[in-house]
Amino acid sequence: MWQGVAKPETPRDRAERRALETDLLDSPLAGKPLRQRLRNFRPGADAALRALGGPLAWMRRLRAIETTIELHETRLRERWGELLAAHPDDEAFEHEWRELARSWSFRDVNDLIDRHNRHFPTEARLPMNPRTGDFVHVNGRPYTRTPLDADWILERFPPHPPPEEPRWNRSPDNS
């Protein structure tokens, strides 16, 4: 550490200083006071310390929820196609698909959703709405997430084959 000792100017330092002086000659702001930046807040030391730690816990948890939901959707899409190809009868397919939807486990993502619903308001420092006594909405919607279940599956993957596709044309390659 140099602690108060002036370093000698290097050729690189001289070149940088000359380039800066040249840039200042052409600058329309040279010699004029800079516009004052007014802020409605003062950045605090706690915000700076939080910024050093990377994404906050609620941010990491929301990302994990989205990733896990995408994984479930991919696996369900594959199973939907497999069952559709395996069952030539619409009623048999519907029965098997509803049975699979009832037995599908969302324990991993529902645990994350439960933790999000419990801890997000305090971790994100959501303000309270004094009229309702509840936390304010985020982007116009409540912050809570709904746990996934069989109805969620049946909304995204209906228990009947698509109507535009004739039964006789269905094959495992284009399902």
Side-chain angles (χ1 to χ4, degrees):
M1 292 214 275
W2 287 88
Q3 297 188 4
V5 178
K7 297 189 309 183
E9 189 176 49
T10 65
R12 181 180 180 158
D13 292 336
R14 282 191 290 277
E16 287 177 357
R17 184 175 36 81
R18 276 189 300 247
L20 182 61
E21 288 170 355
T22 306
D23 287 346
L24 283 174
L25 291 175
D26 299 335
S27 174
L29 297 176
K32 296 180 183 175
L34 292 177
R35 192 183 89 213
Q36 191 176 24
R37 291 181 69 186
L38 300 175
R39 297 180 180 204
N40 291 334
F41 65 92
R42 289 191 181 271
D46 61 332
L49 287 174
R50 281 195 311 270
L52 293 175
L56 300 175
W58 65 268
M59 296 174 183
R60 291 190 305 267
R61 191 170 44 247
L62 278 176
R63 181 67 185 141
I65 289 170
E66 296 302 322
T67 304
T68 309
I69 288 175
E70 287 173 11
L71 178 65
H72 278 286
E73 284 181 335
T74 302
R75 289 174 47 215
L76 284 164
R77 189 173 294 111
E78 290 170 1
R79 293 290 294 144
W80 194 87
E82 291 169 5
L83 282 177
L84 191 61
H87 295 284
D89 181 17
D90 286 346
E91 288 181 21
F93 169 75
E94 183 175 346
H95 173 73
E96 288 296 321
W97 185 245
R98 287 184 186 278
E99 192 61 39
L100 183 128
R102 271 193 293 277
S103 66
W104 195 268
S105 174
F106 287 113
R107 184 176 297 133
D108 53 349
V109 71
N110 283 343
D111 179 50
L112 289 169
I113 289 171
D114 181 51
R115 282 191 274 155
H116 166 78
N117 290 344
R118 253 186 292 135
H119 300 295
F120 178 76
T122 54
E123 290 173 343
R125 298 181 176 196
L126 279 185
M128 296 286 282
N129 182 341
R131 290 188 180 145
T132 63
D134 196 12
F135 291 101
V136 297
H137 288 184
V138 178
N139 296 326
R141 296 185 340 208
Y143 68 91
T144 55
R145 299 278 178 121
T146 306
L148 308 185
D149 58 5
D151 292 334
W152 181 88
I153 293 175
L154 297 175
E155 274 179 27
R156 280 154 185 76
F157 303 97
H160 44 79
E164 66 274 355
E165 182 180 356
R167 283 300 281 195
W168 48 268
N169 196 16
R170 188 173 353 145
S171 68
D173 299 340
N174 62 5
S175 57

